[in-house]
Every structure is written in structure tokens, then in C-alpha cells.
Amino acid sequence: MIKGISYLSFENGLANTESIESALAQTKKFGFDALELGISTEGVLTTDTSEAECLKIRKTIDDSGVFVDSLGTGISWGTSPTSNDEATRKKSISLHQDALRIASNLGCKSLLMVPGVVKSPISRDIVRYDRALDRLRDAVNQLLPIAEDLDVDLCLENVWNGFFYSPIELRDFVDSFDSNKLGVYLDVGNLIGYQQYPPHWIELLNSRIKRVQIKDFQENFDWTGSFSFCDLGAGDVPWKETIDALKSINYKNTIIAEMLPWDETILSRTSAAMDQLFDFNSIA
């Protein structure tokens, strides 16, 4: 497994204004081996970035020595492929098609996709579940031929979107397409927020898991309970069992820490925690 950090974890990552040179330099400085870039409709890397610019970025990446083979996007939060508005759905599909092409131009082998919204605390959309499922299926049918042609994995992330809160449903959805380019981007920390057990998801999804993100989550259950994302190892993720499950399915790709919000020591704390949890130092 490869120790990595998300572009979103840098000071200006969420705004998509952190320079790629800065992100690469900090990735190395804080002891990460891999960086997952982010793409949006505005900022440093966008769905309008030219192929020539992508090639320049790739050279910068290669010169840095940092491993970069995945691209993440939250386009669906603002432009959902499951929206009740047809024009929004069409725009979402078009933007994700562009994102796949950018991924390919950058030499990346996977694209993280938020699979639309049913209901979420960070979206205004409220969509009936069956309609969302049908609309996502239509979107994937349009995206998969491009993913296959470009040799880029289209990876559906489990997020707080009111959608795919069962590993069995997600497994069966992926299996309903005759393509090995469709898979799952498993976010371990996101599972804890809706009372799920990551090792079971890993066992059930198995080789469908193309990429893995990590964060930690702490819940204080009471009549007036609270919750928060927190430092790795300080929350409720069963790390030993989760890592053992990843090893049991022979997962060897990137482990991308997505840590928010940014503060001055979050990268150093995260790097140290990953070394302790995953024993990356001994692996190296």
C-alpha cells in the first residue's frame, strides 16, 4: 500500500487554488509518497484544462518523484447526475466526461466520482431514491465507454449523500455493468458516520475497491449527542481490523488521507499517524 495525501488537505485545496508545485513539495516534505489531485470547474486544475497544460503538469509531477495516479472531484455536489433538473444532469455527465479526459491527459488511472445526491447536509437536492438510482445508471452508461477507451477507472465513492449506504447494494450496482473500469472508491471514515463497519464493507466489495481514502470519525452518542471528524487514530475507525481486511483482499494501491479542515500541523500529524497505523516506515 502507498502512503498518500489528498489535495483537499492543503491550505488552499478546497478552494482549488493551491499550486500543484506547492502541493507536490508539501507531499514530499511531510513524508507522503503519493498525492491525489483534485479537479473542479474553477481553480488550478479544471475541466477546461488543455491537454498541453496537462502534459506540463505531468512533467512537473514526474520531476518531483511523487506518485500521482488518481484524480478526485466533488463536481456532483453542485452539479449532480441524479438531479431532478434534466439540464443539470446533462451538465454533470458532460463535466465528468471532461474530468475523465483530464485524468487521462495527466496520466492518472482513476477518477473519484460522487455518485449524485438523494439527500445530504451539504446539498440542497432532495431526490427520490429510485429516480436517483435510474439517473446514476444512465450517467454511468454514458461515462463508462469513455473510461474504457481512456483506460481510467471510474470509482464511485461512499459519501454522505443519502445513497448507497449498503455494501451489498453498491456491490450489486457495480456488478450490473459489464466493465472492469467501474469500481468503488472506499472512504473508510465516511462509513462510521452512518453506523457501518469498514472491514465488512471491504470483505463484501473485495476487488471492486479500486482506491481507498481514509479519515477518522468520533461519535458521542447521547440524547443530545455530537460527532466530529478527527485525527487518524483518535476516532471510532477500527484500524487494525480495517487494515487486516485490506490486506486480506490483497489491496496494494494508494491509501489517501483526506483530512479537513486544514491547520498548520495537520499534514505532519497525519503523516505520523499513518506511519503508526500502517507501519509504512517498516514497509519502506
Side-chain angles (χ1 to χ4, degrees):
M1 289 180 271
I2 305 167
K3 177 184 176 184
I5 188 71
S6 167
Y7 176 85
L8 299 182
S9 298
F10 297 106
E11 182 175 8
N12 301 301
L14 269 179
N16 200 27
T17 57
E18 190 84 27
S19 75
I20 291 176
E21 291 82 1
S22 170
L24 289 167
Q26 291 182 76
T27 297
K28 293 192 71 174
K29 175 182 177 181
F30 290 102
F32 299 96
D33 298 312
L35 168 66
E36 180 166 274
L37 291 175
I39 185 171
S40 187
T41 54
E42 297 180 352
V44 170
L45 184 62
T46 77
T47 49
D48 291 325
T49 299
S50 69
E51 182 177 1
E53 183 61 25
C54 286
L55 293 176
K56 290 180 183 178
I57 293 171
R58 185 71 239 184
K59 185 177 187 309
T60 300
I61 291 168
D62 291 342
D63 290 345
S64 75
V66 173
F67 183 71
V68 177
D69 88 327
S70 61
L71 188 62
T73 180
I75 287 171
S76 294
W77 291 120
T79 312
S80 174
T82 62
S83 172
N84 289 318
D85 179 69
E86 183 179 4
T88 299
R89 298 198 300 272
K90 289 181 178 179
K91 183 178 180 181
S92 181
I93 293 168
S94 176
L95 290 172
H96 283 96
Q97 289 171 335
D98 290 339
L100 282 167
R101 295 186 183 98
I102 299 296
S104 177
N105 290 339
L106 287 170
C108 292
K109 291 298 183 181
S110 72
L111 176 73
L112 178 155
M113 178 183 179
V114 174
V117 176
V118 168
K119 184 179 183 297
S120 171
I122 58 175
S123 173
R124 295 181 179 180
D125 285 345
I126 299 178
V127 180
R128 207 173 80 178
Y129 203 109
D130 58 335
R131 292 171 184 162
L133 194 61
D134 288 343
R135 292 165 183 170
L136 177 62
R137 182 173 297 281
D138 179 62
V140 170
N141 275 324
Q142 295 185 58
L143 293 171
L144 267 182
I146 296 173
E148 290 167 347
D149 184 58
L150 297 173
D151 192 26
V152 175
D153 291 332
L154 180 64
C155 304
L156 305 180
E157 184 190 17
N158 58 291
V159 292
W160 289 13
N161 60 346
F163 203 11
F164 290 133
Y165 281 1
S166 160
I168 295 171
E169 183 184 27
L170 183 51
R171 178 197 66 191
D172 292 349
F173 182 83
V174 170
D175 287 354
S176 70
F177 294 87
D178 184 21
S179 173
N180 63 5
K181 304 313 294 180
L182 181 64
V184 174
Y185 204 129
L186 186 72
D187 187 309
V188 170
N190 282 348
L191 292 172
I192 305 299
Y194 44 94
Q195 309 302 318
Q196 298 292 306
Y197 189 63
H200 291 168
W201 278 62
I202 293 166
E203 292 167 4
L204 287 163
L205 292 172
N206 207 296
S207 61
R208 300 166 189 83
I209 298 172
K210 303 281 192 179
R211 296 291 189 281
V212 173
Q213 277 189 351
I214 60 171
K215 57 174 70 80
D216 214 331
F217 183 91
Q218 187 174 50
E219 184 173 47
N220 300 305
F221 180 75
D222 203 342
W223 295 112
T224 56
S226 62
F227 68 88
S228 63
F229 289 104
C230 58
D231 281 359
L232 299 177
D236 300 330
V237 173
W239 286 108
K240 181 183 183 304
E241 294 82 357
T242 297
I243 294 167
D244 286 347
L246 287 171
K247 291 177 179 177
S248 75
I249 66 167
N250 202 32
Y251 181 81
K252 294 181 178 180
N253 219 308
T254 47
I255 303 290
I256 300 294
E258 184 187 69
M259 305 299 293
L260 301 167
W262 178 87
D263 67 55
E264 291 182 351
T265 63
I266 195 166
L267 295 175
S268 59
R269 297 196 317 267
T270 298
S271 180
M274 290 180 76
D275 286 341
Q276 183 175 14
L277 292 169
F278 288 84
D279 204 15
F280 279 117
N281 284 331
S282 69
I283 293 173

